[in-house]
Every structure is written in structure tokens, then in C-alpha cells.
Amino acid sequence: MSRPEPRTLAIVAVCLALVAGAVVVLSSLRPQPSITVLANWSGDNEALFRTSVIAPFEKKYGVHVIYQGTTAESQVLKADVEAGTPPDIVVLPGPGELADYARMGKLQPVEDLVDQRGYSQGRQTWMSRLDVGGGGSHNYWFPLKTDLKSIVWHPSSVPGDRLTAAKTASRDWCLGMGSDATSGWPATDWIEDILLQQSGWQVYQQWATGRIRWQDPHVEQAWRTWQQMVGAGQNAQTERALRNDYSAASAGVTANPPICRLEHQASFIRTDPPWRNGKGDFVASAQLIPHARPSRTWEVSGDLAAMFRRTTGTADFVRYLASKDTQQTWSLQQHGFSADTDVPVSAYGGDQTTHKLAETLRDSTAVHCFDGSDAMPPAMRDAFVQAALTFLARPDTLATQLGTLDAVQRSQPKTTWLQSVCDRT
């Protein structure tokens, strides 16, 4: 075989260089894989999610995350699904709404992507299983973050006897019903919690799963108790509540003179100015609700992640979100708590109030029940919100409101309700 001429070698070398350069150019032109995520976080919360969760994922997996944050999440999601363009991943507060999509065949199971050992405590609350097609039951969501309800916030300086007097002192309550497209949920939180504390988790679970009527005496008593506690129908109280956004309600605590001293609100409110830096504390709402049972029963809520489309990228993202490391990082950055018991309480820093909230959320001897309206079918949830706002302004319409809610309940097929909302059966 003859040896190649130097000129031939030079030509070959140039060709190889050109091919290599073309490969680099083609690689740079190849579109980066991407996934879409819809959630209700905006502003500071969106910025935290992008920097502490999304950015590390993109760097590690080379997958671009297109995030959309909106307070009108349910409406946006419904429109996207109807248009055939749902997000790949959605984070919703309502298992009832997610169950609807699962029964439509829109959601993908996630149990193989989530290490359920850490989530096993309270699994019936956080990770309900559904059998939507006769192919066995599956988990279609997992809790990205959780919060404790059934609590009342107060300035640390308020004495115990003043807290007790608040059972009938409606002027003491900080009230705000506004929340953009989801206005009214603070009202349903009140009624749900009163029912839970007065009648126990068994009655609460029957009600939240559509097995007892809205005109049941236990349920009616809860509405009447709320009327008594917050002064429903009293012009000044009602106008203030309907005018205020929930996020501004506690501003009355630091007014001069104070407008209010107590707030029935979930654990996330602790980061608001009046309750921040140890100036606020909380008690179990059962201590202030008239005729409450002496039991450790808590209403809880959560932001639940679900998957509409399964690809390598979406599976990696769900697995990443559910991992201990991400749960711990996210817990350090925002105001919620991880449901993963493998995340230590120390992850929340050294604040005693925050530790107490985290420990209550994972107390295996207590009963935890998911937010009732969030667990209901969307049509039932929306009707409940509207009825609660109307009742706040016009408590004399209660019989009409409950009758309407019973009619909506009858219109919902039994298959649209969750079977359990509490971590007891």
C-alpha cells in the first residue's frame, strides 16, 4: 500500500475539522428538551420557586422548565385542558379537582416516582389512591408542600383570658375574604374547621365526601357558630371582611389603635409582618370555638403536584420534586412544610413557633383532615364558596343557601367524590 501524499493528508484533516464543526453547530441548534409547569405562585413565591427549585433542576438534568404562575389557576387549567394543551405538570391545592382530571383519564400515576416511605404517615390525607379505570388504584399526586390549619394567631402579649373572651367578641377577629380569582376560601376554612372541632372527624369526613346533607344539624350548627363568632350580618364587620384581601387582614393587629387581635388562618400567615419575628403566636382553634370537642384534630392543606404528560423530563421533575433534598431545600425557602417525615424539623431553622407547627403536622397520634372544600368536586367547592360569602353578608338566608348546596351535592355523581380526607378510616 502506498503512503498518502502530504497534500492528501491536509485535505482529509480539513474535511474532518469541517465535519467536527458541523457537529458542534448542529448540536447547538438542537432544541433543548422542555417541560411546562402551572402553579398558583407569583411574586416572591414564584421567584423562590424559580431560584431554589427550577434552576438547580435545569442545571442538573439539562431540561428547560417553562413556568406559568397565576392566581386563576383552576380557570387557566380548565381552558388549557379543553383546548388540548394542558401543562405537563400542575401544582394545585385541590385533590377534588385533581381527582376529576384523573377520572377523565388526563393524569398519569406517580407512585413509582415518589418514595412513599417518608409520605406514608397520613398517606390517606396526602396521597389518596383512585381506581379510575378498573385497572387498580393509583396515586395521581403528591404533596409538594403542606400547611396546618385549625389554628388562631394572636400577638404574644394577648393574655389568655382575652383569648377566651374572643369566643363571642366579633370585633377582635381580623377578617379578609379577598383572594383574586379564589376569593371566599377564608370563609369556607372557618366553617370547615368549626364543623371538625364541634362534631369530630367522622362527621367531617362524611360531609367532605358527600355522604351527609348540608342541612344536617351538625353542619348547620357550624354555620351558626361562625355567624356568632365573627358577627356575620353586622355592617361594619361584614364590610371590612368583604373589602379586605386575606393577605391584608392581619394589618389591623399593628394599627394604632389595633383594629383586631386574632386571625383564624393557616400556618403560612406566620411570615406576614404582624406575626413575624416572634411577635405572634398561635393556639389550637378548638380552644376558642364554642362547643368544640377536647381532641387533637387538625384541618390541613397542601399544594399537590400532578403529571398530565409522562416523558423522561416530566418523570425526572416529579422524582426531583419529591426527593428529600428538594423538599428540604424548598422548606427552607418558603412558608410551607414538607409532608416527608424524612425531612427533619431542624430544616425549618431555629424558630420555636415554626418547629411547633412542623411537629403538629407530623404528629402520628393526632388526626389530620384535608381542607374540605378543596377535596370536593369543583362545582361543589365553588357553590360552597359563593354560599359562604352570601351568608357572611346575609345570615338570614342560611336555609336557602344550605338547600341550594344540597341540590348541587345531589347533582354530583358519587364517583366524583373522594372516599377519604382524613388520616383515619
Side-chain angles (χ1 to χ4, degrees), residues 127-147:
M127 297 185 67
S128 301
R129 296 185 70 88
L130 300 176
D131 185 350
V132 298
S137 61
H138 295 283
N139 293 122
Y140 290 94
W141 58 81
F142 79 95
L144 183 55
K145 83 173 188 71
T146 64
D147 276 294

Side-chain angles (χ1 to χ4, degrees), residues 93-95 125-126 204 299-302 304 368-372 374-375 421-422:
T125 303
W126 303 126
Y204 178 91
E299 184 180 10
V300 296
S301 63
L304 311 174
H368 303 87
C369 297
F370 209 92
D371 181 299
D374 285 343
V421 297
C422 301

